[in-house]
């Protein structure tokens, strides 16, 4: 069965304390991996798409990387405004355009 | 800015009273999706349109219907809302269903409350 697991479930950081979020996947035929940020009461905001092992993408304090088994979202020197739930999702070759989501990581950055 | 717009942002309905949620997009994307997201859970795909072709997920209840009258608009109809249908409803779009233009862009969501 195709599975996407995110860890940790929750993460408390001090402002400036860098950390990484993990998204591990067990799927048959990964097509793409997506990172979203979701603030309470709002829709997911697109961050990154990764397609190939070894691929990396950056945006401000965020950097996403992809291996054959997992993806990491690195948050460098986070600020309180980086507090959100970060969702990982995958698209699978046999599943059309349906995204399989992980459970998310809730990040709280304290000043 | 090109975007996905959902109206209303909050909707209160009564048990069993039909309700319609709307979504519009200025991205000119071919695919539009409807998701249901309950508290602290991941979004769950209900159905999607690829142009005019409707694709229903196998486990989507018959109580949920959708219409896409044109490229820009898509509606979610809940024929007889139950208490268990209270959730955030998310609309998303993508240029293509698969391949390197498959990234889905979400709207702000409509929070549905069923009394």
């Amino acid at each position: 069965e195709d599975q996407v697991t995110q860890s940790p479930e929750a993460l408390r950081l001090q402002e400036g304390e860098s950390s990484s979020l993990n998204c591990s996947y067990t799927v048959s035929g990964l097509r793409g991996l997506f990172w979203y940020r979701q603030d309470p009461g709002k829709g997911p905001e697109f961050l990154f798409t990764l397609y190939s092992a070894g691929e990396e993408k950056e945006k401000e304090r965020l950097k996403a990387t992809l291996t054959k088994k997992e993806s990491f979202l690195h948050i460098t020197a986070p600020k309180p405004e980086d507090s959100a739930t970060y969702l990982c999702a995958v698209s699978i070759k046999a599943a059309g355009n349906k995204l399989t989501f992980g459970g998310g990581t809730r990040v709280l950055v304290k000043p | 800015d090109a975007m996905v717009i959902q109206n209303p942002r909050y909707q209160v309905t009564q048990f069993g009273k039909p309700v319609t949620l709307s979504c519009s997009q200025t991205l000119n994307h071919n695919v539009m999706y409807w998701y249901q997201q309950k508290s602290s859970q991941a979004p769950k795909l209900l159905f999607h349109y690829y142009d005019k072709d409707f694709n229903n997920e196998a486990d989507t209840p018959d109580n949920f219907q959708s219409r896409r009258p044109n490229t820009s608009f898509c509606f979610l109809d809940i024929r007889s809302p139950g208490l268990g249908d209270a959730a955030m409803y998310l609309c998303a779009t993508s240029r293509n269903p698969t391949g390197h233009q498959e990234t889905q862009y979400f709207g702000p969501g409509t929070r549905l409350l069923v009394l």
Side-chain angles (χ1 to χ4, degrees):
Chain A
E1 183 183 345
D2 298 317
Q3 275 196 321
V4 179
T5 304
Q6 291 188 246
S7 61
E9 289 186 8
L11 189 59
R12 285 181 166 230
L13 300 171
Q14 286 297 128
E15 184 172 2
E17 178 188 1
S18 301
S19 189
S20 295
L21 284 55
N22 178 264
C23 172
S24 64
Y25 58 90
T26 308
V27 301
S28 317
L30 177 75
R31 194 170 62 232
L33 186 141
F34 307 86
W35 282 99
Y36 291 90
R37 168 199 170 119
Q38 187 171 26
D39 293 302
K42 296 187 178 181
E45 174 190 345
F46 170 70
L47 295 174
F48 304 108
T49 304
L50 301 166
Y51 286 108
S52 305
E55 190 175 359
E56 298 182 352
K57 289 196 176 170
E58 286 187 70
K59 178 181 177 181
E60 295 179 354
R61 294 178 293 281
L62 301 177
K63 179 179 177 180
T65 62
L66 180 66
T67 73
K68 289 186 177 180
K69 294 183 178 181
E70 59 193 347
S71 176
F72 291 94
L73 184 66
H74 307 278
I75 310 178
T76 302
K79 298 182 177 181
E81 52 263 41
D82 295 322
S83 298
T85 295
Y86 291 85
L87 294 170
C88 168
V90 301
S91 62
I92 304 163
K93 291 176 183 175
N97 57 343
K98 182 174 182 177
L99 293 180
T100 300
F101 282 88
T105 295
R106 295 188 312 278
V107 175
L108 176 63
V109 182
K110 291 193 163 186
Chain B
D1 282 344
M3 55 177 55
V4 182
I5 302 160
Q6 291 189 245
N7 286 305
R9 294 296 315 279
Y10 299 92
Q11 177 74 56
V12 181
T13 191
Q14 292 179 337
F15 182 94
K17 183 176 181 181
V19 66
T20 295
L21 309 182
S22 73
C23 176
S24 64
Q25 53 128 343
T26 61
L27 296 161
N28 202 31
H29 281 173
N30 298 315
V31 193
M32 295 186 77
Y33 309 78
W34 280 104
Y35 286 84
Q36 179 192 66
Q37 187 177 27
K38 296 189 175 181
S39 182
S40 300
Q41 295 183 17
K44 177 180 181 297
L45 181 64
L46 296 173
F47 27 58
H48 75 273
Y49 273 96
Y50 179 18
D51 291 331
K52 294 184 179 180
D53 293 334
F54 177 70
N55 298 272
N56 198 28
E57 291 300 304
D59 57 354
T60 298
D62 293 340
N63 198 26
F64 292 87
Q65 304 286 320
S66 186
R67 297 169 283 134
R68 188 179 186 186
N70 54 52
T71 301
S72 300
F73 285 86
C74 196
F75 300 97
L76 170 63
D77 301 307
I78 309 177
R79 293 193 294 187
S80 181
L83 298 178
D85 296 328
M88 174 77 88
Y89 289 88
L90 297 165
C91 175
T93 73
S94 66
R95 181 165 297 284
N96 289 320
T98 60
H100 281 223
Q101 292 184 316
E102 65 174 316
T103 298
Q104 295 185 24
Y105 297 89
F106 287 82
T110 294
R111 170 77 63 188
L112 178 68
L113 181 61
V114 181
L115 300 178

